[in-house]
Amino acid sequence: MAKTILILPGDGIGPEIVAEARKVLEVVNQRFDLNLTLTEGLVGGAAIDATGVPLPDATLDAARQADAILLGAVGGPKWDQLDTAIRPEKGLLGLRSNLELFANLRPAILYPQLAEASSLKPEIVAGLDILIVRELTGGIYFGKPRGIRTLENGEREGYNTYVYRESEIERIGRVAFEAARKRNGKVCSIDKANVLEVTVLWREVMDRLAKDYPDVQLSHMYVDNAAMQLVRAPKQFDVLVTGNMFGDILSDEAAMLTGSIGMLPSASLDRNNKGMYEPCHGSAPDIAGQGVANPLATILSVAMMLRYSVGAEEAASTIEAAVGKVLDQGLRTRDIASTGATVVSTREMGEAVLAAL
Ligand code: IPM
Ligand code: MG
């Protein structure tokens, strides 16, 4: 059956990296007869400039109708002065919450060719393959009340609310346990249960869930320790499951273990595996428009999309193999280049992946 893919390039390096990923998608669409229709829309700062809002109704409607969404990145200094309610990031958060994309999968896999690019010693990261399962539509990102208020003495106070319901914890927990079953059978749940009640509940629910998955080994870790363990001995982890904000932070950290955040794809799924796919990195305004950004995280996001939302496993693994091939050829964008490597542009990297396909 024909499926529709909505492409949202966004801001900063978004349009550059998405252009390369789109070419890859077009080629596999043909090659594997996937029957995908590609459409494009506006989100983030690009949408603010064109329509005044970061998530126009037309985009949200198209996103609701699409079978999957490929997103570049949003945000940039141009829009930083805007009220948080209408900043580019709201476009992304609005898509996540409106589509109930609660399960964010962020695999951190070290391509053996890039062991040198990691800031950690090769023996610490060699063979690294971890999966961060981040809750994406709750927690402190969405909790109410929130805002900045003026106190009686005239001083201003900022406040947010960190909340999780049992049902929200349970559904993300199940995603983690199921994922662990298909991997190495270990889940480490990350919390701050020594201080925060919301994560005391989180821990309780995870323990309860573990009874349904006797074949999976559950452990718990405080987030500060997890941040340390990720750089001390990252290979102790298989699946990490955590809330929205801790997951945001730990996934950036995990990304660097693999050499560059420019290599990390992500999937954000709803309960039916409809998903939005995006690189873990941001819009990188400092290098936007220079043609130096790494398109591989976005290209690998296309692979995840084909696997999870299109059910085209062969097309997905063909893309992943092509990425491996260009790395074997020694091609590197600036972010993953160690001394002496051939540094290529965003476009050249995209073309190389196409050639390898
Ligand atoms: C991410 C980003 C977003 C987040 C921003 C852009 C709102 O950092 O996807 O990790 O915090 O979730
Ligand atoms: Mg982030």
Side-chain angles (χ1 to χ4, degrees):
M1 209 185 67
K3 289 196 158 136
T4 308
I5 309 296
L6 175 65
I7 301 182
L8 302 172
D11 311 318
I13 59 171
E16 300 163 52
I17 52 178
V18 164
E20 301 312 314
R22 179 176 183 141
K23 286 186 238 169
V24 169
L25 182 55
E26 279 165 355
V27 166
V28 295
N29 190 17
Q30 290 265 323
R31 163 104 55 93
F32 294 91
D33 269 325
L34 301 179
N35 210 357
L36 303 174
T37 306
L38 313 187
T39 61
E40 277 208 24
L42 292 170
V43 73
I48 295 175
D49 289 349
T51 70
V53 292
L55 180 57
D57 289 342
T59 301
L60 185 55
D61 287 346
R64 284 192 203 283
Q65 271 154 41
D67 296 284
I69 302 157
L70 178 69
L71 186 133
V74 297
K78 182 174 174 195
W79 307 280
D80 274 353
Q81 300 314 316
L82 295 173
D83 191 272
T84 49
I86 51 159
R87 279 170 60 128
E89 288 78 359
K90 272 282 152 143
L92 180 58
L93 297 172
L95 282 168
R96 289 174 179 171
S97 64
N98 278 291
L99 301 179
E100 287 188 72
L101 306 172
F102 68 92
N104 185 213
L105 311 182
R106 298 188 160 188
I109 295 168
L110 182 83
Y111 278 84
Q113 302 93 325
L114 295 183
E116 288 294 312
S118 174
S119 48
L120 296 191
K121 297 191 192 91
E123 64 268 27
I124 305 237
V125 290
L128 182 80
D129 178 356
I130 60 184
L131 175 68
I132 297 189
V133 177
R134 168 188 175 193
E135 200 291 326
L136 203 59
T137 52
I140 198 166
Y141 270 51
F142 293 94
K144 287 185 181 134
R146 61 188 299 156
I148 299 175
R149 60 192 161 209
T150 304
L151 303 174
E152 269 169 25
N153 69 359
E155 190 185 9
R156 292 190 312 150
E157 177 180 71
Y159 57 100
N160 289 90
T161 306
Y162 190 1
V163 278
Y164 270 119
R165 295 179 189 194
E166 288 181 291
S167 55
E168 288 176 296
I169 303 168
E170 185 173 329
R171 69 178 181 177
I172 195 67
R174 288 203 185 276
V175 171
F177 280 103
E178 299 285 344
R181 268 192 174 157
K182 297 190 197 125
R183 297 172 45 98
N184 294 318
K186 289 198 299 180
V187 169
C188 182
S189 169
I190 310 298
D191 62 41
K192 189 71 187 171
N194 50 344
V195 180
L196 303 173
E197 285 80 357
V198 45
T199 68
V200 171
L201 183 65
W202 178 283
R203 194 175 271 226
E204 239 181 78
V205 173
M206 289 295 164
D207 277 331
R208 199 165 73 206
L209 267 182
K211 302 202 176 77
D212 291 352
Y213 301 87
D215 49 327
V216 176
Q217 180 200 325
L218 172 69
S219 60
H220 303 278
M221 198 180 276
Y222 297 141
V223 64
D224 48 350
N225 186 23
M228 181 177 74
Q229 295 299 333
L230 270 175
V231 288
R232 195 187 72 85
K235 282 186 270 179
Q236 69 185 281
F237 297 113
D238 178 20
V239 175
L240 290 120
V241 63
T242 190
N244 209 338
M245 183 166 65
F246 296 162
D248 178 44
I249 299 166
L250 293 179
S251 60
D252 267 32
E253 189 189 4
M256 272 322 287
L257 304 175
T258 71
S260 168
I261 196 167
M263 292 299 299
L264 255 73
S266 80
S268 308
L269 305 175
D270 74 3
R271 62 183 69 248
N272 304 313
N273 278 357
K274 168 171 174 166
M276 181 158 78
Y277 299 81
E278 46 176 321
C280 286
H281 60 70
S283 57
D286 52 321
I287 56 163
Q290 298 174 20
V292 299
N294 186 349
L296 293 180
T298 318
I299 290 171
L300 291 168
S301 298
V302 168
M304 285 188 97
M305 176 173 90
L306 296 174
R307 174 170 297 128
Y308 291 111
S309 291
V310 181
E313 173 56 39
E314 198 188 348
S317 44
T318 302
I319 293 175
E320 287 161 351
V323 168
K325 234 184 263 174
V326 301
L327 294 175
D328 280 339
Q329 291 159 7
L331 302 182
R332 304 283 186 269
T333 43
R334 207 172 66 180
D335 57 308
I336 50 174
S338 37
T339 31
T342 321
V343 177
V344 298
S345 69
T346 309
R347 162 97 38 93
E348 286 165 336
M349 187 58 105
E351 299 288 333
V353 174
L354 289 178
L357 278 176

Short mmCIF file of all heavy atoms in Angstrom, two decimals, residues 175-186 215-216 238-239 273 308:
data_model
loop_
_atom_site.label_atom_id
_atom_site.label_comp_id
_atom_site.label_asym_id
_atom_site.label_seq_id
_atom_site.Cartn_x
_atom_site.Cartn_y
_atom_site.Cartn_z
N VAL A 175 8.46 -0.39 26.16
CA VAL A 175 9.27 -0.23 24.95
C VAL A 175 10.71 -0.66 25.23
O VAL A 175 11.33 -1.36 24.44
CB VAL A 175 9.22 1.24 24.45
CG1 VAL A 175 10.24 1.47 23.33
CG2 VAL A 175 7.82 1.60 23.98
N ALA A 176 11.22 -0.26 26.39
CA ALA A 176 12.61 -0.59 26.74
C ALA A 176 12.79 -2.10 26.94
O ALA A 176 13.74 -2.71 26.43
CB ALA A 176 13.03 0.17 27.99
N PHE A 177 11.85 -2.71 27.68
CA PHE A 177 11.97 -4.16 27.92
C PHE A 177 11.86 -4.95 26.61
O PHE A 177 12.62 -5.90 26.39
CB PHE A 177 10.89 -4.62 28.91
CG PHE A 177 11.25 -4.34 30.36
CD1 PHE A 177 10.68 -3.29 31.04
CD2 PHE A 177 12.16 -5.15 31.02
CE1 PHE A 177 10.99 -3.03 32.38
CE2 PHE A 177 12.51 -4.90 32.36
CZ PHE A 177 11.92 -3.83 33.03
N GLU A 178 10.92 -4.53 25.77
CA GLU A 178 10.77 -5.23 24.48
C GLU A 178 12.04 -5.09 23.65
O GLU A 178 12.49 -6.04 23.00
CB GLU A 178 9.59 -4.66 23.68
CG GLU A 178 8.22 -4.77 24.34
CD GLU A 178 7.63 -6.18 24.29
OE1 GLU A 178 8.14 -7.00 23.50
OE2 GLU A 178 6.68 -6.44 25.06
N ALA A 179 12.61 -3.88 23.65
CA ALA A 179 13.83 -3.66 22.87
C ALA A 179 14.98 -4.52 23.41
O ALA A 179 15.74 -5.12 22.64
CB ALA A 179 14.23 -2.18 22.91
N ALA A 180 15.07 -4.61 24.75
CA ALA A 180 16.15 -5.40 25.35
C ALA A 180 16.05 -6.87 24.97
O ALA A 180 17.05 -7.55 24.77
CB ALA A 180 16.13 -5.24 26.87
N ARG A 181 14.81 -7.34 24.85
CA ARG A 181 14.59 -8.74 24.45
C ARG A 181 15.22 -9.05 23.11
O ARG A 181 15.67 -10.15 22.86
CB ARG A 181 13.08 -8.99 24.31
CG ARG A 181 12.49 -9.49 25.55
CD ARG A 181 11.10 -10.01 25.31
NE ARG A 181 10.67 -10.62 26.56
CZ ARG A 181 9.41 -10.80 26.92
NH1 ARG A 181 8.45 -10.42 26.10
NH2 ARG A 181 9.13 -11.34 28.06
N LYS A 182 15.21 -8.05 22.22
CA LYS A 182 15.76 -8.27 20.88
C LYS A 182 17.25 -7.97 20.85
O LYS A 182 17.88 -8.08 19.81
CB LYS A 182 15.05 -7.36 19.87
CG LYS A 182 13.58 -7.66 19.73
CD LYS A 182 12.99 -6.89 18.56
CE LYS A 182 11.48 -6.85 18.65
NZ LYS A 182 10.94 -5.50 18.60
N ARG A 183 17.80 -7.53 22.01
CA ARG A 183 19.21 -7.18 22.04
C ARG A 183 19.93 -8.07 23.05
O ARG A 183 19.86 -9.29 22.93
CB ARG A 183 19.36 -5.69 22.40
CG ARG A 183 18.75 -4.76 21.36
CD ARG A 183 18.75 -3.32 21.85
NE ARG A 183 20.03 -2.97 22.46
CZ ARG A 183 21.01 -2.30 21.83
NH1 ARG A 183 20.83 -1.88 20.59
NH2 ARG A 183 22.14 -2.05 22.46
N ASN A 184 20.56 -7.45 24.07
CA ASN A 184 21.32 -8.27 25.02
C ASN A 184 20.62 -8.51 26.34
O ASN A 184 21.24 -8.91 27.33
CB ASN A 184 22.70 -7.68 25.23
CG ASN A 184 23.52 -7.75 23.95
OD1 ASN A 184 23.49 -8.77 23.25
ND2 ASN A 184 24.18 -6.67 23.60
N GLY A 185 19.31 -8.21 26.38
CA GLY A 185 18.52 -8.61 27.53
C GLY A 185 18.77 -7.82 28.81
O GLY A 185 18.49 -8.32 29.91
N LYS A 186 19.28 -6.59 28.69
CA LYS A 186 19.53 -5.79 29.90
C LYS A 186 18.89 -4.41 29.77
O LYS A 186 19.06 -3.73 28.77
CB LYS A 186 21.03 -5.59 30.12
CG LYS A 186 21.76 -6.85 30.54
CD LYS A 186 23.12 -6.53 31.15
CE LYS A 186 24.05 -5.81 30.18
NZ LYS A 186 25.35 -5.48 30.77
N ASP A 215 12.95 -12.64 31.49
CA ASP A 215 14.14 -12.90 30.66
C ASP A 215 15.02 -11.66 30.52
O ASP A 215 16.10 -11.72 29.94
CB ASP A 215 13.69 -13.38 29.27
CG ASP A 215 12.62 -12.49 28.66
OD1 ASP A 215 11.78 -11.94 29.43
OD2 ASP A 215 12.61 -12.32 27.43
N VAL A 216 14.54 -10.52 31.02
CA VAL A 216 15.33 -9.28 30.92
C VAL A 216 15.83 -8.91 32.32
O VAL A 216 15.11 -9.01 33.30
CB VAL A 216 14.48 -8.13 30.33
CG1 VAL A 216 15.26 -6.82 30.33
CG2 VAL A 216 13.99 -8.47 28.93
N ASP A 238 23.24 -1.86 27.94
CA ASP A 238 22.58 -2.38 26.74
C ASP A 238 21.48 -1.38 26.39
O ASP A 238 21.65 -0.51 25.55
CB ASP A 238 22.04 -3.79 27.03
CG ASP A 238 21.29 -4.38 25.85
OD1 ASP A 238 21.49 -3.91 24.72
OD2 ASP A 238 20.48 -5.32 26.06
N VAL A 239 20.35 -1.46 27.10
CA VAL A 239 19.28 -0.47 26.92
C VAL A 239 19.21 0.41 28.15
O VAL A 239 19.20 -0.09 29.28
CB VAL A 239 17.91 -1.17 26.71
CG1 VAL A 239 16.79 -0.14 26.63
CG2 VAL A 239 17.94 -2.04 25.46
N ASN A 273 3.73 2.52 16.05
CA ASN A 273 4.97 2.59 15.28
C ASN A 273 4.93 3.60 14.15
O ASN A 273 5.74 3.54 13.23
CB ASN A 273 5.39 1.23 14.72
CG ASN A 273 6.13 0.43 15.78
OD1 ASN A 273 6.36 0.91 16.89
ND2 ASN A 273 6.50 -0.78 15.44
N TYR A 308 11.17 0.82 10.87
CA TYR A 308 10.09 0.85 11.85
C TYR A 308 8.74 1.24 11.28
O TYR A 308 7.72 0.70 11.69
CB TYR A 308 10.43 1.80 13.01
CG TYR A 308 11.55 1.33 13.89
CD1 TYR A 308 12.77 1.99 13.90
CD2 TYR A 308 11.40 0.22 14.70
CE1 TYR A 308 13.82 1.56 14.71
CE2 TYR A 308 12.43 -0.22 15.52
CZ TYR A 308 13.64 0.46 15.52
OH TYR A 308 14.66 0.03 16.32
#
